[in-house]
Amino acid sequence: MLSIAATSLPAFTAPLLPHATRVAAPVMKAEGEIGVTPPLGVWDPLGCLAEPVDYPRRDYRRYVELEIKHGRIAMLATVGVLTTEAGFRWPGYLSKSLDLKFADLPGGCFDSYNAVPALGWLQIVGFVIFLELAYGATDPSKEPGDVGGISWVRYDDPETKKFK
């Protein structure tokens, strides 16, 4: 009985898999290039940043400005949701024709989004577009995200910046 089991054992073994081929290490781009994060460099396994580049490259500074701007918008949205959930509402009407007061708006992200009429959202989007076009660009002589006026305190000394 044992001899029958021993002779049929190779029938239950899997075939050997070929050895895995070694993938070439990603090419690290120059310091300051888009996607470079010191000390790691660029990790681009799909080759999305490979040469030749067909699209016009943007300056990394623009991406930093957009990241700061979107972070600020997200913080304002969070504060808006928290204050609405806490019960703070503007006095008056949101829509006089629909007899919808600010106090009638439900708390929460999606409920309050659905409660605002379409013309209200059009006004909000129009106002945001106006702000973006009128005040959105950062002066190239300033650091990204530095939108403060002349009263804004700026620290030129690297040690002071590090301390602050």
Side-chain angles (χ1 to χ4, degrees):
M1 189 66 136
L2 189 57
S3 64
I4 294 174
T7 57
S8 64
L9 188 60
F12 294 106
T13 59
L16 292 176
L17 295 175
H19 291 288
T21 57
R22 197 168 164 94
V23 179
V27 177
M28 298 301 169
K29 303 288 183 184
E31 189 68 31
E33 183 73 21
I34 294 174
V36 175
T37 53
L40 303 175
V42 174
W43 187 69
D44 187 18
L46 298 177
C48 295
L49 295 176
E51 300 293 335
V53 178
D54 295 332
Y55 58 89
R57 287 211 186 235
R58 292 188 182 261
D59 188 20
Y60 187 69
R61 176 186 169 88
R62 175 71 176 146
Y63 292 115
V64 172
E65 290 175 4
L66 289 175
E67 185 69 21
I68 292 170
K69 186 183 297 184
H70 293 150
R72 289 174 177 165
I73 291 170
M75 288 186 281
L76 283 172
T78 302
V79 169
V81 168
L82 292 176
T83 54
T84 305
E85 282 286 338
F88 296 106
R89 304 287 197 278
W90 291 104
Y93 283 90
L94 175 67
S95 173
K96 200 109 161 119
S97 62
L98 297 175
D99 195 34
L100 181 63
K101 294 183 179 183
F102 283 105
D104 298 336
L105 281 179
C109 257
F110 299 113
D111 294 335
S112 60
Y113 175 79
N114 293 330
V116 175
L119 285 177
W121 281 114
L122 182 67
Q123 288 177 345
I124 293 170
V125 169
F127 181 67
V128 168
I129 289 173
F130 167 74
L131 289 178
E132 180 69 25
L133 294 176
Y135 304 104
T138 304
D139 185 8
S141 65
K142 297 179 182 178
E143 289 291 320
D146 184 1
V147 293
I150 57 172
S151 63
W152 190 271
V153 178
R154 294 171 182 87
Y155 302 101
D156 295 327
D157 183 30
E159 291 298 319
T160 308
K161 279 186 180 180
K162 186 177 180 180
F163 174 75
K164 296 289 180 177

